[in-house]
Structures are given as structure tokens and as C-alpha cells.
Amino acid sequence: MKVTTVVGLEVHVQLHTRTKIFCGCVNRFNPDAPNTQTCPVCLGLPGALPVMNQEAFRLSLVTAMALNCELARFTKWDRKQYYYPDLPKAYQISQYDLPFSHDGWLDVSSEDGETRHIRINRAHLEEDAGKNTHDESGRGGDSQVDLNRCGTPLLEIVSEPDLRSAAEAKAYLEELHLLLTYLGVSDCNMQEGSLRCDANVNLHIEQNNGETIATPIVEIKNLNSFRGVEAAITYEADRQQEEYSKTGRKLGDPGVEKETRGWNAERNVTFAQRGKEEASDYRYFPDPDLMPVTVSDEQLAEVRGSLCEFPAARRDRFEAEYGLSKYDASVVINQGEKFADYFESVAKGCGDGKQAVNWVTQNVLRELNERSVTVADFPIPADVLAALLQRIVNGDLTVKSGREVFDELLSDHDKGMPPSIERISAIIDEKGLAMLADTGELDSLIDATIADHAKAVEDIRNGKLQAAGPIIGKVMKQLKGADPQTVRERIIERIQQNS
Amino acid sequence: MSLSTHTTQDLLDQLQSGQLTSTELVTTCLDRIDAHDERIGAFLHFEREPALQQAAEIDRRRQAGGTLGALAGLPVAIKDNICANGTRTTCASRMLENFVPPYDAHIIERLRQADAVLLGRTNLDEFAMGSSCENSAFQQTRNPWDTERTPGGSSGGSAAAVAAGMTPLSIGSDTGGSIRQPAAFCGVVGMKPTYGRVSRYGLVAFASSLDQIGPFANDVTGVSRLLEVLAGHDERDSTSIDRRVPAYSQNLDQPLDGLRIGIAKEHFVEGLHPEVEQAVRSAVDVYRSLGAEIKEVTLPHSKYCVAVYYIVAPSEASSNLARYDGVHYGFRAEKFDNMIDMYSATRGEGFGDEVKRRIMLGTYALSAGYYDAYYLKALKVRRLIRQDFDRAFEEVDVIASPVTPTPAFKIGELIDDPLAMYLTDIYTISANLAGLPGVSLPCGFSSEGLPIGLQLQAAPFEEERLLRAARMYERETDWHTRRPAMNSNSAS
Ligand SMILES: [Zn+2]
């Protein structure tokens, strides 16, 4: 019995505009001072009217273009009507039958390394609601409403049910998160709710007779972490399989409706929710307070001209231009735009993409993690690291010595000295790390040492190359800054020359 | 001094020349309200002191030689569905009985800038839904010409206040005739501008695609003066149009050469009171005698106006009034068991019958499965109605018609027959559906001594032509100079 998990995600992204979508209130996460970022419009006071924020619409166009969506030349606003205390007008201004964009796609790398083409059904723009907080002490205190969030521009991106596992859903969300961050349309802060997601989940179960049945679709509401998305879908898939084996209920059976469930992150379970949407009719109709929006060729051209390089394209380019492996390119790109910029500066500066990627994904990334800083605050600027790596690439410095310089630059910084290209030379001099340009000195030292190790020389001549160890050690001890690999090769060469 | 013998322009001239102070004028108005409003019930609430302070401040500025705004201290009464910062705005509903907006409507800002004195707040049908002021949750406004009769509605308070000489100017809102019909019933001039001409920002919405704010006065000049202040673009209303505002009052007295007046046969059908028909036809004769060309036009879809209106307006209203749920402001029921129960109890107790009826109509029309058959179809017919007018206005400059099928009806006469009440809007609704400007001006009296109105409609943004055409008629007649006998001892 083959069981496939089928998932579609509805992702809500708060757009990072200066002001809210239909009024002039500042658009900022501020739960500590409730109801201070409000005005007659976002409070839904009698007589107040909405005016569309052009910047919110522009950021939506940017995002939809990056998601390869078709952009509508004519779009309109609709009222989605329901009662809830966090919705002061008792309707949400949204887009119903003519969203500003539709039919796009996003490529996602699945676990097996294959690229999965996930179709986007539509992306539409709407206003966020406020936030209700309830007394959880059980003593029945008043619920409270904070309308600071009310009117935050919210982009809803709806995928087709093209995702085939919990991990793939997570990967999709991560790729989307990365893209949105690159585009700069949202701060994508999941703790603060800037990026939230609902998952539609069901199973396709292949029967013994070869037929496939589908379990009833469940919508899991309000997932706000990557881990949560993966865990909730995993749990839900198991639950649906168990439920199916018990009841045999499947999609399309009489009385089977879409179910809404919540996610309890502490207990790691989904739970049945008496959702406000159940049996509700939103009575959508065009909002008479807002004019339909027409999008011109000029506007589209302007937006297209302003687009940055998308992560997927940059990944491909890094592979082609800097000779990175698919894996390395992903590691660099997935760290975000600033990190990829840093890598690219280092790679260009030192002229060796592979050397650069080794250093940024190992040494730099480790330091960032240990210091809990982003690359923007990393003490060694890209040009300084590039200068250091260039010495290695040119054969002036061993990798090992390079690490010593790297560590020294960091401790310089910790002592209040800014790392600089000049400091690299100074450190090399202080520590005597420079590779010996004149092999004459190395050769005479090797010859002298060989003379003291007749037995080892004999073994090496007989092909036991590991016998070179003690000779290498001796030479290295006397000759700081020498590359052990070079020393080893030179020793073997001298012995074999002299035989 | 007496308001009944002075026109808006007289008062303005006297204020500007210093013969009359704003304080004197406002005092006269307030005294008149004190003397007669117990009987008429035009005002829901007003405060003497703030109005007098405002007047005194304007007078001080005039004496100091300062420049004054266009209204120079003239009092203006405001329909109680337009928000003014710090002033209770009730919409004649229990729901908003104690609601005090923290902001000014666009037109309130305009009036303040023009140095109008905000006199008080006038009665209306609850949330502007009605044609008689009988749906006010607080009081019945009576027609100053016959207190047994309604002043019309929903802006009945504003019309009655001007007719009774309590204020030279007032503001109303018109969604299906709510300015023009009470103007006709009360024998004053009332105008609904083109949709988008006056900002709706701060007007408590009834039906957003139909609502428009407009002026009342005793004559066309007064209305023009006030419209000059109200009209103009406002960025806070997305449906407000950015278009130059002509100086409407400037060329008002210049007759229009070659004026073409349209008469639609659809407007003279069964149900039209013979005396109303007679008065309107006589008015058309006046135009003919002035050299205007009278042409018959056809508005084939006008028979659907009432049906379309009673789908579109309640649909929008059901959505616009959903916010009154007891959560954030306004009335909240005292007894309820849970959240849903709080919503129903609040709305059940806070709204009157007519408002509930329209919310239910609209909710039904927008429901899944009915939307296409009702709302969507209504929008299509609405477009056809607009096309009728577009075609007609290729032939004529203005269309003349009755405002209402009958003169003012009696209080209680139609209240139990909502359909008959809805049909009283039959001539005014189309201007809202098509977004046209329309004006109602006095054109005669019935044998019972009740005023009769003439409606003129023009193409969108042709207010200037519309007002000049209205003024041509007004110059030839004296209907607008007649005033009701305001004997405060007369029976009510
Ligand atoms: Zn706001």
C-alpha cells in the first residue's frame, strides 16, 4: 500500500511598507503599546474610507514577478465579510475573483536532490486583522483586542497541492522565505508573525486493486515556524492514515467536508477547531470605496527593472562562474543575500571560488555561529579575507598559516584593532609564516636531516612513504611557515634523486 | 432681523459689509430654533455656546480687518450622519446615540475653513434609511408647511430647518433622493452633486456607491454658494474626482443660450399626482417661454430603478453597517451569554426596524447562490440605466421631471407599507444609480398648500449648467420666496 502525502500551502506575508495598506498609520510590530498605531480608517470608525498604499501594491508586483506569476492588468478589491472582534469593520478588504496575480511557480530542491516545480495558484493582496488576546488563567477575564496590526499589508501566496511530503513543504517554505528576504519585501520574522502559513493536507493511498483513494482534506491553521510546518504535516499524515484505517472515510464521501485543525506546538499535535469559517458564507462583493486598479506596461517595466537577482538564478550562476558544487552554492545562497554578497566579493578578490567557498562556509560560518552575528557584523571585511586567500592561492602562504592569520585578525578585532590588509603582512612577519621562496635553504636542511635518518631513507626508497613522517617533523620544527605538503614532496623527491 | 425675508446672498453681503454680525445672525437662528423646534423637531441636538463663540471669533476677525472665508460667519446646520471632531454624531440611531467621532469629515473641514458657523445637528431617518424621518430613533421632524405631514427624508431635519427659517443653509446626504425629496416637500432648494464631486470622507456610509453630500438653501444662489465650499478633490476618498471646481455662483444669473430641456415620458405615468404633473408641466412652459428647446427623451430602463436600487443600496448597507457590533464603540447590549449572542443582542436592540429590514435584504442579495441573480444582475441593469442617461444627454442639457409623485404625505400614512414608501423615491433614485447631479427647486403648491418640487438633472460634473438652468426658472417665478407661516402657537 503506497501512501503519498499531498500538501498545498497558503502563505501569508506581511509586506514591509512604511505605512499600512489603506491608511497613513505606521506599519510596525508593536505589541507592547496596543492600539497606539491606529486611526479612524484602520479602527473602522463610521465615515472613514480606505486609500490604497501604492508601495504595498508595488511590493506585491515584485513578489509575484519573482514567483513567475501572470500579472493581471485589471484587478479589484473585494470585501470578505465575517464577524470577529479583531476585525473592526466586520469585513476584510481582500481580493476574490480577480487577484492581481495568478499561475506562477517556485522551484524547490527536494531531499533526493531533485528539483521540484511547485505551482503557485495565485497571490493576492489584503489587509491583516488585529489581534485578540484571551485570558488564559481560566478565571474568565475579559478578552482584549489590539488593532496595531490591523491594516498591515498582507500578501497571500497560495500553492497548488504539489508538495509531496512534510520535508518538501518545509523546503518550499524555506525557499519562499529566502526569496522574500532577497526581494526585501518582508522582514519575514516568523516569531513576530510576518510570515505565517496554513497547510492543506491529505493522503493519496494506493489500494491493492491499484486504485488510489484520497483522504478528506484538512487545513492546519496558523503555522509559524519551519519546524512547525514539518512537524504538523508529519503528525497530520499519520493521524489521517490511522483515521482512514479506522473509518475508511475518504474525500467525496457524503457528509465529508474540509476540516480545519489547529496546531499545538507544545504537545506536537493537531486538534479539531470549530473554525469561524465553518459553514460560513463570506458574501464577497466588490468594495465600493476603492477604485479597481489598472496596471500599465510602464509600471510593469519599472518594477521588472528594479528586480534583484533571484536566489535560484544566483545559485546557478555561482556554480557556473565560480565552479562551486551544487551543494556549496546552496549553502552560500541559503545563508541569505548579504552572505552570498560576502562570498562573491571574496571569490572575486582572491580569484579562486573554491578556496573562497571553503573559507566562507567553514571558517566564516563557524565564527558567525559562535559569535551569533550576521555577516554584516563579521569583523573581517570581504576585501581583507580576499587578500589573505590570495596569498594562499599564490602559494605564498599555507592553508594552515592562513588559519593562524585569520584567527589573529579576529583576536585583533576583539582587542579593538580593526582587521586590515596591512595587518595580514604584519602578522605573517611577526609569526614568520612566510613560505620560503628560496628552496635552497629548504633543500640543504632536508639534506642534512636525511643524512641523520638512514633507516627512514631506506624505507622510503622501498616505497614506504609514511616513513617520511619523522623527517618532515624535524624539518618543520626548524622551518616555520613551511607547507608540510611541500616539505613532504621535497623530501621524497630529494631521496629519490639521490638514489 | 428675520431670515424669512433675506436670501443667503443678502446675508452674505450684509456680513461682508459689516451691516450684520455673525453673532446677530447666529443668535437669530438659535432663538428661532428655541421658539419653533419643539414643534418642528428639525434638530437632534445643538449647543448655543460653541456656535456663538465661533460667531464671535469670526466677528472679531472681521473687525480686525482680517480676511474671511467664503461663508463669512453664515450658520450651517449639519445632518447628524456627518462626523465632526468632538461632536456627537448619532445617525438618529440608538446604536450611535453616544458616539463622538475623533475626527472631522472633509466637508466639516471645508466649512470651518470657509468660516461657516456649525449651528447644530439635524434629524434624519436612522442611518439615512427612509423618506419621512419616521425612522429616526429619537424624534419625528414635522413639515413646517403642515405639521401633520412629514418633511420627507432622510435629510428631513436639514430641509425643515431651512424652510422654518432656523438656518439659511444646511447640509444633507442623498443616497436615493434624501436631499431632493425633502427639499421638494419643504419648499426649499436641495441639490445632490455628481458622485465624486464632494468627498464622502466622514459621511457615515449607508450605500457607498450612491451616497453623496449636498447643500440646502432657500434659493439656487444659496445652494451654489454652499456647493462651492463643499466640492473638490480629497485624497482620503478614493472615489472623489480630481477636477476643477467652477465658481458656480459667478455666472448664475446669465441665462443659458439655446438651452435644451429633456422630458422623459417614463416620468409622467400612473401614480403621479395630477397637481404635481401640472406644476412640472407649467415649469417646462416657463422654460419654453424663455426660448429653451423642449425635447422628448427616453429612459427605457427607468422602470427598473427602484428594483435595482433596493438591491444595490441594501447590499452595500448590510456590509457598511456590519461594524456596529458592540465591540469597539457605540451601543452594546447589556445582557448576553457569549460573543455571538453579544453581536445579535447588540444589533437586535441597537437598530430600528427599517435598518434591520434593509440589512436582511442586502445580506440575502449577497449570499452565496443568490449573488449572481440579484447583486450582479442589478449592477448590469445599473449600467444600462447610466447608458440611457448618456444617450439622453447627447440630445439635451438637462432633464426636467417631478421630484416626487405626490406632495408631502402624512405622518403614519405609509409607515406600514414599506413598498409604497420605497416608490416615493421613484424619480430621484436614477440620479444616484447613474451618478448624476440633480437639483430640486420649488415650482408650485398643491391645492392643500403643500410645496411641489421640480427636479432638474444633468450629465456628470455639469453642476454649473444645472444650477444656471435652475436659476433661469427661479428668476421668472416667486415660489422660492414663499415661507410657511411659523406660528409657534399653531397646533402640532
Ligand atoms: Zn490607520
Side-chain angles (χ1 to χ4, degrees), chain A residues 20 22-26 37-43 147 150-151:
Chain A
K20 293 184 180 184
F22 295 120
C23 65
C25 290
V26 62
Q37 288 159 204
T38 57
C39 72
V41 177
C42 56
L43 291 174
L147 298 178
C150 207

Side-chain angles (χ1 to χ4, degrees), chain A residues 454-472:
Chain A
K455 175 73 177 80
V457 169
E458 190 56 35
D459 288 346
I460 291 166
R461 285 212 177 102
N462 292 332
K464 280 179 73 182
L465 298 183
Q466 65 269 39
I471 307 176
I472 298 171

Side-chain angles (χ1 to χ4, degrees), chain B residues 356-393:
Chain B
K356 286 185 214 167
R357 177 159 34 236
R358 297 200 194 190
I359 288 173
M360 286 190 282
L361 275 172
T363 304
Y364 182 82
L366 291 178
S367 297
Y370 298 98
Y371 179 86
D372 289 2
Y374 291 100
Y375 190 75
L376 210 58
K377 184 170 273 178
L379 288 192
K380 285 178 187 160
V381 179
R382 185 177 179 180
R383 265 195 298 280
L384 296 175
I385 291 166
R386 169 68 185 260
Q387 282 168 15
D388 282 355
F389 279 101
D390 288 346
R391 228 165 273 141
F393 285 122

Side-chain angles (χ1 to χ4, degrees), chain B residues 18-35:
Chain B
Q19 283 170 270
L20 173 69
T21 65
S22 180
T23 305
E24 287 168 335
L25 180 53
V26 170
T27 304
T28 305
C29 291
L30 290 168
D31 290 349
R32 184 104 174 150
I33 296 168
D34 278 344

Side-chain angles (χ1 to χ4, degrees), chain A residues 40-41 43-52 79 81 83-85 87-91 145 147 281 283-286 288-291, chain B residues 83 99 102-103 200-204 208-209 235-239 316 319-320 322-324 328-329 339 343 347 363 366-368 371 375:
Chain A
V41 177
L43 291 174
L45 291 190
L49 296 170
V51 177
M52 186 188 82
R79 293 183 182 179
Q81 313 193 66
Y83 286 95
Y84 210 58
L87 194 68
K89 299 190 297 299
Y91 59 80
V145 186
L147 298 178
D281 171 1
R283 287 175 288 116
Y284 279 103
F285 82 110
D289 287 333
L290 287 160
M291 305 306 278
Chain B
C83 293
F99 175 69
Y103 76 104
R200 293 185 294 117
Y201 190 79
L203 167 66
V204 179
S208 314
S209 75
E235 287 182 347
R236 294 167 300 183
D237 174 1
S238 308
T239 62
E316 294 182 9
S319 177
N320 286 331
R323 69 189 66 192
Y324 308 113
H328 299 276
Y329 51 80
M339 190 178 79
Y343 288 144
R347 292 168 66 77
T363 304
L366 291 178
S367 297
Y371 179 86
Y375 190 75

Side-chain angles (χ1 to χ4, degrees), chain B residues 43 57 94 121 255 261 272 323 328 355 393 398 477:
Chain B
F43 285 83
E57 159 63 20
R94 282 196 69 196
R121 315 286 294 190
I261 300 272
L272 179 60
R323 69 189 66 192
H328 299 276
V355 170
F393 285 122
V398 296
T477 56

